[in-house]
């Protein structure tokens, strides 16, 4: 016959471990060996407190991912049936417009994620606990305020990184077959640059952590959400203003005149043209105001000849720089995020309750 040896589990209940009455050895299959890993302690408490928001974010991301995977499949079937890339994309015309619209709708939605998560996840994360007194209760327990703050930021950051990172990767995979077609998405615009690569992760993390800092300082949830909305919009505007400065401008010139058929320099496919000027024989650049009062082509030719214009000078950013620009910008945002996190821990040691 078999007997059972009682052993306490972490939940306080007891479990029996069968032993073989014949040789006195314990059965190799025990409750402890088959127990699934579970959250515990502070991690469990923080997850349970914010589980509705965390699950909502993850569920919305999962649905978006499934829809993008479906759209990519539909698009690839269309392109394969058409014969792309063997045939020119220009001949697709209006037949591809439904997919262009899909890219536009999704990119617009993904562009709003930093603002939404900053307002609805970042701002209330600590402001709610400070406003309703939960922070004082936590501070009275054996767990330190630093660990509580680290767990809050860690779980929120993990949810942000997983959701935005997955969305960025799948959108980039969907867009990649037509990435060099400016008629689909302009790579230098926020609708493509800000939602692919590391940028959405870095931008969302910075906005969320900024919202947490605002909530800690203001200590009122609704006020923190309103201020965080303004902060998130300001971040988007500033980021959009400086986005192109992350690249290294390339200049190409020509010396075949201005009005000839092939006078304008050839640019790489999907390159973003920033500026163009007249180039003189002496290497000087002349703007568009030069010879603007001429009324005929002959008068324009005479004016350009008088000014010594021999060709064009064009400044542009090649699409090949996109990945490097994204990582440079993301590095700056990660550094700013780390600075805000350091402020939160410094503030939390003294004034978090």
């Amino acid at each position: 016959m078999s007997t059972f040896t009682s052993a306490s589990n972490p939940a306080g209940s007891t479990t029996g471990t069968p032993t073989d009455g014949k040789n006195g050895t314990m059965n190799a299959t025990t409750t402890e060996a088959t127990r699934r890993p579970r959250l515990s302690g502070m991690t469990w408490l923080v997850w349970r407190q914010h589980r509705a928001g965390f699950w909502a974010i993850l569920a919305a991301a999962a649905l978006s991912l499934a829809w993008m995977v479906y759209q990519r499949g539909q698009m690839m079937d269309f392109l394969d049936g058409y014969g792309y890339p063997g045939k020119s994309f220009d001949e697709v015309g209006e037949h591809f417009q439904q997919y262009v619209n899909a890219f536009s709708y999704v990119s617009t939605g993904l562009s709003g994620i930093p603002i939404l998560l900053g307002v609805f996840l970042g701002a209330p994360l600590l402001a709610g606990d400070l406003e309703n007194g939960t922070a004082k209760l936590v501070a009275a327990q054996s767990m330190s305020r630093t660990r509580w703050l680290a767990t809050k930021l860690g779980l929120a950051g993990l949810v942000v990184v997983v959701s935005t990172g997955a969305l960025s990767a799948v959108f980039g995979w969907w867009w990649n077959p037509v990435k060099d077609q400016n008629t689909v998405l302009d790579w230098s615009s926020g609708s493509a640059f800000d939602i692919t690569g590391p940028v959405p992760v870095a931008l969302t993390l910075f906005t969320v952590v900024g919202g947490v800092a605002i909530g800690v300082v203001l200590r009122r949830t609704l006020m923190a959400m309103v201020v965080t909305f303004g902060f998130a919009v300001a971040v988007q505007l500033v980021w959009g203003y400086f986005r192109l400065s992350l690249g290294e401008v390339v200049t190409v010139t020509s010396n075949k005149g201005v009005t000839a058929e092939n006078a304008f320099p050839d640019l790489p496919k999907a390159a973003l043209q920033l500026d163009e000027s007249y180039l003189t024989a002496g290497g000087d650049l002349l703007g568009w105001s030069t010879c603007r009062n001429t009324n005929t082509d002959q008068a324009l030719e005479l004016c350009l000849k008088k000014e010594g214009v021999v060709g064009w000078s064009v400044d542009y950013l090649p699409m090949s720089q996109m990945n490097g620009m994204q990582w440079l910008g993301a590095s700056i945002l990660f550094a700013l995020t780390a600075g805000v996190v350091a402020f939160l821990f410094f503030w939390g040691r003294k004034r978090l309750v």
Side-chain angles (χ1 to χ4, degrees):
M1 61 179 293
S2 298
T3 60
F4 289 85
T5 302
S6 176
S8 298
N9 63 22
S13 60
T14 59
T15 57
T17 303
T19 59
D20 188 3
K22 195 169 185 178
N23 54 20
T25 59
M26 299 177 63
N27 192 331
T29 304
T30 65
T31 305
E32 287 77 11
T34 58
R35 185 184 296 116
R36 296 179 181 178
R38 294 182 179 180
L39 298 178
S40 61
M42 184 63 69
T43 304
W44 175 86
L45 178 63
V46 172
W47 177 269
R48 184 171 179 82
Q49 182 184 9
H50 300 284
R51 65 187 184 280
F54 290 161
W55 279 122
I57 293 170
L58 295 174
L63 290 174
S64 299
L65 293 172
W67 194 82
M68 285 191 286
V69 170
Y70 170 77
Q71 286 295 320
R72 192 200 191 260
Q74 294 291 101
M75 182 188 74
M76 292 307 299
D77 289 342
F78 171 82
L79 292 177
D80 290 342
Y82 172 75
Y84 179 82
K87 294 183 179 179
S88 172
F89 189 84
D90 296 334
E91 298 178 16
V92 175
E94 61 183 12
H95 300 292
F96 198 77
Q97 188 59 42
Q98 60 175 321
Y99 303 104
V100 174
N101 293 337
F103 278 115
S104 178
Y105 297 148
V106 174
S107 64
T108 300
L110 296 183
S111 297
I113 287 179
I115 298 177
L116 291 175
L117 294 189
V119 172
F120 294 103
L121 176 63
L125 191 69
L126 294 178
D129 293 340
L130 294 170
E131 185 175 14
N132 59 31
T134 304
K136 293 183 178 180
L137 178 62
V138 172
Q141 307 303 313
S142 59
M143 297 294 182
S144 66
R145 287 177 292 181
T146 300
R147 182 175 177 182
W148 174 61
L149 177 59
T151 305
K152 283 258 189 178
L153 293 176
L155 279 179
L158 179 62
V159 170
V160 168
V161 170
V162 169
S163 57
T164 56
L167 289 170
S168 170
V170 173
F171 184 88
W173 173 66
W174 175 24
W175 177 47
N176 189 66
V178 292
K179 188 176 182 179
D180 58 351
Q181 304 297 330
N182 283 336
T183 55
V184 178
L185 279 181
D186 179 5
W187 70 267
S188 63
S189 67
S191 58
F193 191 94
D194 294 351
I195 57 176
T196 56
V199 174
V201 177
L203 199 57
T204 306
L205 270 180
F206 177 60
T207 306
V208 169
V209 173
V212 174
I214 292 171
V216 167
V217 173
L218 297 181
R219 306 173 73 90
R220 295 292 183 271
T221 303
L222 183 58
M223 185 183 302
M225 293 174 70
V226 173
V227 175
T228 299
F229 177 79
F231 166 75
V233 172
V235 168
Q236 294 281 347
L237 293 175
V238 172
W239 172 257
Y241 182 79
F242 287 103
R243 183 190 302 117
L244 296 182
S245 63
L246 298 170
E248 183 177 350
V249 178
V250 179
T251 301
V252 61
T253 60
S254 66
N255 58 1
K256 301 178 182 179
V258 173
T259 58
E261 182 177 353
N262 298 319
F264 200 82
D266 291 329
L267 303 183
K269 193 171 185 179
L272 174 66
Q273 182 177 322
L274 301 175
D275 192 18
E276 60 184 51
S277 305
Y278 294 137
L279 177 67
T280 67
D284 297 327
L285 300 180
L286 303 178
W288 281 101
S289 59
T290 305
C291 302
R292 65 178 180 179
N293 294 325
T294 54
N295 298 323
T296 63
D297 291 342
Q298 184 177 5
L300 175 61
E301 288 282 358
L302 292 175
C303 178
L304 293 175
K305 185 176 181 180
K306 180 181 178 181
E307 296 291 340
V309 174
V310 296
W312 292 98
S313 176
V314 180
D315 295 336
Y316 70 93
L317 287 175
M319 190 178 185
S320 59
Q321 292 190 17
M322 180 180 179
N323 190 54
M325 292 169 63
Q326 287 180 316
W327 277 107
L328 176 59
S331 299
I332 296 173
L333 290 171
F334 284 137
L336 292 174
T337 302
V340 178
V341 171
F343 162 77
L344 284 171
F345 279 100
F346 174 78
W347 184 281
R349 294 177 61 184
K350 298 180 178 181
R351 304 182 58 182
L352 195 55
V353 297

